[in-house]
């Protein structure tokens, strides 16, 4: 199965490679993810990933949306992964940046985009997310 390939992970019951490209936006697509909010958002995402055993392969924060290329084990649903990130970041950012409370009823819109990423498209997704910085 894995034969020592680093692109596969394993737990007690499975060998897997489950990677997702997820995107979510602030409520009303407001452009509120700007310095210093963007830097703090990235830090919180890193903390949540470590806490839940997610691996963030690439991340880009644009003023009105977040791109994340993240891997998780099969015990985590995509909805749980996104909700862990959105829940913690919303709570902490709204506590730390009062302007986010006054301008928005909630930080994030309820929806998100998610796509699975196979080994073939992994490099393309990394390039796409990294290229967002130049847009």
């Amino acid at each position: 199965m894995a034969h020592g390939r680093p692109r596969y992970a394993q737990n007690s019951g499975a060998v897997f490679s489950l990677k997702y490209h997820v995107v979510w936006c602030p409520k009303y697509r407001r452009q509120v993810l700007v310095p210093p909010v963007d830097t703090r958002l990235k830090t919180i995402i890193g903390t949540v990933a470590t806490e839940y055993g997610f691996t963030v392969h690439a991340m880009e924060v644009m003023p009105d949306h977040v791109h994340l290329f993240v891997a998780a084990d099969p015990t985590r649903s995509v909805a749980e992964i996104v909700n862990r990130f959105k829940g913690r970041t919303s709570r902490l950012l709204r506590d730390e940046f009062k302007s986010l409370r006054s301008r928005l009823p909630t930080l994030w819109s309820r929806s998100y985009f998610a796509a699975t990423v196979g080994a073939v498209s992994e490099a393309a997704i990394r390039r796409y997310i990294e290229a967002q910085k130049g847009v």
Side-chain angles (χ1 to χ4, degrees):
M1 287 210 287
H3 301 296
R5 287 186 184 175
R7 71 176 169 199
Y8 294 106
Q10 63 186 90
N11 62 21
S12 61
V15 175
F16 52 89
S17 174
L18 298 174
K19 298 175 182 175
Y20 309 99
H21 177 198
V22 296
V23 181
W24 68 88
C25 306
K27 190 83 169 170
Y28 311 125
R29 197 107 191 213
R30 291 265 168 81
Q31 298 200 2
V32 295
L33 307 178
V34 295
V37 175
D38 60 344
T39 304
R40 181 66 177 125
L41 173 59
K42 288 178 181 181
T43 301
I44 298 166
I45 287 173
T47 301
V48 170
T50 300
E51 188 175 316
Y52 289 97
F54 307 147
T55 302
V56 175
H57 290 286
M59 169 177 21
E60 199 54 65
V61 176
M62 305 304 291
D64 65 349
H65 64 281
V66 178
H67 283 274
L68 210 55
F69 178 25
V70 61
D73 81 41
T75 64
R76 307 289 186 171
S77 70
V78 177
E80 179 187 353
I81 295 165
V82 174
N83 289 334
R84 296 286 185 202
F85 286 124
K86 287 172 70 175
R88 180 84 54 86
T89 55
S90 177
R91 184 170 49 78
L92 294 178
L93 291 174
R94 286 168 58 85
D95 282 351
E96 296 170 26
F97 299 96
K98 306 303 180 204
S99 63
L100 296 177
R101 287 207 311 256
S102 61
R103 292 190 60 203
L104 296 168
T106 60
L107 178 56
W108 304 120
S109 70
R110 291 177 61 193
S111 61
Y112 60 90
F113 165 83
T116 55
V117 178
V120 173
S121 59
E122 181 174 334
I125 295 295
R126 285 181 191 269
R127 283 193 303 273
Y128 174 77
I129 292 175
E130 287 161 10
Q132 293 301 299
K133 198 73 167 170
V135 173

